[in-house]
Amino acid sequence: MAPSPALAAPVPAPVPDGAQERTLPSIPEGEAGDRWFRAEKDLASTRPNFKQAARQMAFLDTATGVLVWQGGTVTLDLGRASVAEILTAVYATVPADVERIYVTAGDPWHRDAERHQFLKDAVADWLNGPLPQGWAVESSRGKDRQAGHLVHPRNPVGRWQRGKDQHTEIRSVGEWFDSAGADPATVRKAFVLLWKALKRHWDDVVLMGSPSQTGRDLWSRTIPAKAGARWADGFPVMSQEIRGLLHATAGQGRTELITPPRVPERVPGWYEADRTFAYAKHTWSSGVGVPQRVTAAAFAAMSEKEQTDALFAPSHWQVRVTIPKEWNHVGLLPAPAPGERSWHYPYEGGRTFVTWAGGAEVNLALRNPVQPWRIEILDGLVWEKGDPLKGWANKLKDAWQSLRALAEVHGDERQRQAARLASRAVRSILLYGIGTFAQRPRITTGSLELGAGGEVPEIPDGARLTGLSDTHVSWERNSGFARDPYAHPDWAAGVWSAARAALLSASTGTKDPATGKPVKAGALHLPVGSILAFRTDAIYSSIRPDWPYRGEPGDYLLKGAMAWEQTTPTTDEEFYVLQDLGRQALEAEEQ
């Protein structure tokens, strides 16, 4: 297949559009850039030779006080559900070997949110509240130096210890799934079903604290074990320079709200179409090893077949893009927007900009069903094609499908609900597991108690103050990139790029019975002006999508529908109101 004629020859760089936009990094010219293309010495992903330690779990609804663990169910008096009240009540009831308390409802860290300007400050205040006698914030644990709290606005993690031997953490079950009103017993059953579904594929499966930790651990146990097999010695980690480049130039999911005058102020309806288990669709092929650099001159010297092969290989490209003057649909390629790691999607006809994009998106821009865009290759990274994620994703896909089937056929409603929650947990394992490969710079958080008279203590070197309460200050420090043997940001970037491309145009795996032609789905297959928003794997439109759904990863599932006139949302708050109303309306329609 010959490359699109929209592939352009190099031209002088235009004056950049949008003075406020970030400037993305480039690979240095000559030998300085060539030195980036290496593997880190003595750093590779290898198969572990140990089994993770299983930790006993309890599940607590802090609104009702209901606590469920392996030994039974009780209702506790938690008062205002402070850290001290939870630790005191829980460990007066359960044995000390319960090391993980999942909050299923109640969000106690938000109890005093109205007293703080930001949710993160309310969370930090809750985590750093007074402790029962003998308890302290965990300082370290074996080889785990990530001790202390994770101050997240919605899914925080608090870590404490009593003496030297007792350790515990309080986490939100929202890391795994939205519990959707399920009681703690049902949530615990969901974790049991999840473990059983994964056990069929991994004899040594252990559910860790978060889906991302669990996903990475399970993936590591799919690394070839047979001596002499390809990559049995481990998947090499690229240089810090290449990892830093990918961190700065490869965004994640597409989040965009399209507002008037691009769309009408009133629209005939509101529809949400979400790609089911989407990332599993894009794990069949990934780059492996150290990439090859393809400069503008090297790309221009290639034959048409070589250029096509390079663009369809696992790859990441620096490109100069020119949008056709007649273009009137949504933007196709991400470009840097103001703000750290922010992206937007230029759509204005005739506009030129420079960006980085994965091969999947570059190909989509060149071969989209509306009108080809003009692309000039400035630089690129091309990897050898492999399938390091395929076996892992296929096992997760099987677990997901088996849990979904159980949720459909089981005779007990509580079991069906638990199976639905467990299937969502599998999705989170894959979604966040892929995210761990991106290996962002390590951010360390901490807190210090105010001195007498409210004196602010000295925070660690290189840290910045992030919050101030009546009793504590919170800080965070960017520690840069760690020597992480599981750092493969090209894998994450490739999946994210393919998923963003599929949001615009993708095969449904079916054919039109009238014409025999393949049926395509995505934003570019809906009318101009009908797209209202994108949210990672979902499209929101004013026209009802008529796409076949087979229940396979990547298929578009209608999740919300209101077939009557709506006011177009112009803020995130208005968007989320319509999202909730649309889902409620579709549920009522289906019932």
Side-chain angles (χ1 to χ4, degrees), residues 212-223:
S212 59
Q213 293 170 324
T214 305
R216 189 170 76 170
D217 182 67
L218 293 179
W219 173 80
S220 71
R221 298 171 194 278
T222 66
I223 296 173

Side-chain angles (χ1 to χ4, degrees), residues 86-94 162:
I86 290 175
L87 292 177
T88 299
V90 169
Y91 286 103
T93 306
V94 305
R162 180 161 58 178

Side-chain angles (χ1 to χ4, degrees), residues 323-348:
I323 304 174
K325 291 183 179 180
E326 303 82 12
W327 187 261
N328 62 355
H329 219 302
V330 297
L332 304 185
L333 293 176
E340 184 181 2
R341 291 191 58 76
S342 294
W343 301 88
H344 64 169
Y345 294 81
Y347 61 91
E348 303 91 343

Side-chain angles (χ1 to χ4, degrees), residues 5-30:
L7 268 172
V11 297
V15 177
D17 290 329
Q20 299 301 311
E21 293 180 354
R22 302 188 329 279
T23 300
L24 298 179
S26 300
I27 305 172
E29 296 291 338

Side-chain angles (χ1 to χ4, degrees), residues 431-577:
L431 179 72
Y432 297 119
I434 288 171
T436 64
F437 292 122
Q439 200 236 2
R440 298 171 178 86
R442 184 175 47 186
I443 304 296
T444 304
T445 63
S447 63
L448 295 168
E449 192 170 0
L450 295 177
E455 181 182 349
V456 177
E458 185 176 347
I459 64 175
D461 290 341
R464 68 182 184 90
L465 202 63
T466 58
L468 178 64
S469 72
D470 295 338
T471 58
H472 286 75
V473 295
S474 301
W475 56 266
E476 70 178 26
R477 178 171 56 191
N478 186 334
S479 303
F481 291 98
R483 277 182 59 81
D484 183 351
Y486 299 107
H488 299 287
D490 52 313
W491 297 352
V495 171
W496 295 339
S497 175
R500 289 193 301 267
L503 207 57
L504 299 167
S505 182
S507 172
T508 64
T510 62
K511 292 184 177 181
D512 187 321
T515 65
K517 293 181 179 180
V519 176
K520 296 289 188 75
L524 296 181
H525 300 278
L526 290 172
V528 171
S530 66
I531 307 300
L532 304 176
F534 294 97
R535 284 295 187 278
T536 308
D537 298 320
I539 297 171
Y540 298 81
S541 68
S542 60
I543 302 295
R544 189 179 187 118
D546 186 22
W547 299 324
Y549 180 74
R550 303 163 299 157
E552 291 293 319
D555 285 357
Y556 279 94
L557 172 66
L558 191 66
K559 290 184 67 173
M562 292 187 287
W564 53 89
E565 192 173 272
Q566 303 290 330
T567 299
T568 303
T570 58
T571 66
D572 284 345
E573 291 76 12
E574 293 172 355
F575 166 83
Y576 287 118
V577 168

Side-chain angles (χ1 to χ4, degrees), residues 400-413 415-417 419-420 423 549 557:
W400 173 76
Q401 289 177 323
S402 67
L403 289 165
R404 280 168 56 92
L406 182 63
E408 293 292 329
V409 303
H410 203 286
D412 181 83
E413 173 54 32
Q415 289 279 48
R416 290 200 299 271
Q417 185 179 20
R420 283 194 295 271
S423 72
Y549 180 74
L557 172 66

